[in-house]
Amino acid sequence: MRVTLLAWIERFNRRHPWSHNDFYGSWVVDQVAESGAPSVLDIGCGTGNLIERLRGSGRSVTGFEPDPATARLAMARFAADHAVTIEKIGYEQRDPARRWAAITLVASLHHLPLAATLQELRSSLLPGGRMVVIGCYRSDGGIDHAIAAMVVPMNLLIGLIKHPRSADRLPDEMTAPTADPGETLQEIRAAVAEHLPGARIRRRLFWRYSLVYDKPVHDRPSGSNS
């Protein structure tokens, strides 16, 4: 029965698609704007929906996107925008000497090894810089499952409102490769507390959490020259 219900929900979502990631776009942009960051790195930028919002107020934005097809769409989208650079690479392929005033990750952190990536992200921030994350976590335990049970009807309703007609195909921004998250929210909180002391992390709707980290101006993490 449970498998049948999940299959029906998946079919419904494909007919009435909407992006859980775009749902948090305005919040991410507000957090970046609050920091005053002039340069932003968006890791796993997809087709560039968040970059479209971030590029205002004179900011320069760099997007990393490892999926070739998705990166090509983003490159074409911003080909005439000198404030935006799209690089067809994953975060692990970056130049480790580069630094940004702000870094955003929306549904991309769980594609990377958590603890090591948190340390590297801290080094990739300029002193005083801000990291903003909308992440995915693996449901585990009664609280997670209870929240999921409440959110599923809301998810279906929003899909019906945003996309009332049945779709023939998913939007381009929803076709990039996905991965199931490996860590529970409790495990993510523990790793964040260890590697990003002072970060604010909150459970969010639609199987997401938010994280905001402000790197101290005089931060000198072990093993980093930032």
Side-chain angles (χ1 to χ4, degrees):
M1 177 64 181
R2 182 172 182 270
V3 174
T4 302
L5 177 60
L6 290 175
W8 180 86
I9 291 172
E10 177 64 23
R11 289 196 300 271
F12 184 95
N13 287 339
R14 294 185 69 86
R15 290 197 303 268
H16 305 278
W18 67 282
S19 172
H20 299 120
N21 300 327
D22 289 348
F23 180 80
Y24 290 103
S26 294
W27 180 86
V28 173
V29 173
D30 287 346
Q31 302 309 304
V32 172
E34 185 182 87
S35 75
S39 62
V40 186
L41 169 64
D42 185 30
I43 298 173
C45 67
T47 59
N49 286 5
L50 180 60
I51 288 177
E52 186 73 48
R53 298 184 181 193
L54 285 169
R55 60 200 273 274
S57 304
R59 298 186 199 96
S60 64
V61 186
T62 299
F64 287 175
E65 176 49 57
D67 179 60
T70 307
R72 284 195 295 270
L73 290 172
M75 288 175 176
R77 181 176 185 173
F78 298 107
D81 193 331
H82 299 300
V84 176
T85 302
I86 305 297
E87 300 185 28
K88 191 171 61 178
I89 62 172
Y91 177 64
E92 65 277 15
Q93 299 167 295
R94 76 197 184 285
D95 175 356
R98 297 173 72 181
R99 302 287 184 270
W100 286 268
I103 298 175
T104 57
L105 302 95
V106 177
S108 55
L109 183 56
H110 69 283
H111 288 260
L112 301 164
L114 181 61
T117 302
L118 291 177
Q119 295 180 63
E120 293 168 7
L121 287 167
R122 181 172 169 177
S123 295
S124 292
L125 278 174
L126 287 167
R130 171 170 285 190
M131 184 194 313
V132 183
V133 177
I134 292 293
C136 306
Y137 63 89
R138 176 171 60 84
S139 294
D140 178 61
I143 294 177
D144 289 344
H145 296 314
I147 292 174
M150 292 188 294
V151 167
V152 165
M154 188 185 306
N155 178 66
L156 300 177
L157 178 60
I158 292 176
L160 196 58
I161 293 171
K162 285 182 171 287
H163 207 294
R165 299 185 64 179
S166 183
D168 295 326
R169 59 184 293 273
L170 290 174
D172 288 336
E173 64 267 22
M174 296 179 67
T175 59
T178 60
D180 292 330
E183 293 87 11
T184 66
L185 187 55
Q186 183 178 358
E187 290 168 338
I188 294 166
R189 287 185 188 276
V192 168
E194 179 179 357
H195 300 293
L196 302 177
R200 286 100 61 199
I201 184 167
R202 289 181 54 193
R203 185 194 299 270
R204 298 283 182 169
L205 292 175
F206 307 119
W207 306 277
R208 299 292 190 269
Y209 67 89
S210 66
L211 184 159
V212 178
Y213 170 70
D214 293 313
K215 181 174 179 176
V217 174
H218 302 295
D219 184 74
R220 290 292 184 272
S222 176
S224 170
N225 297 317
S226 65

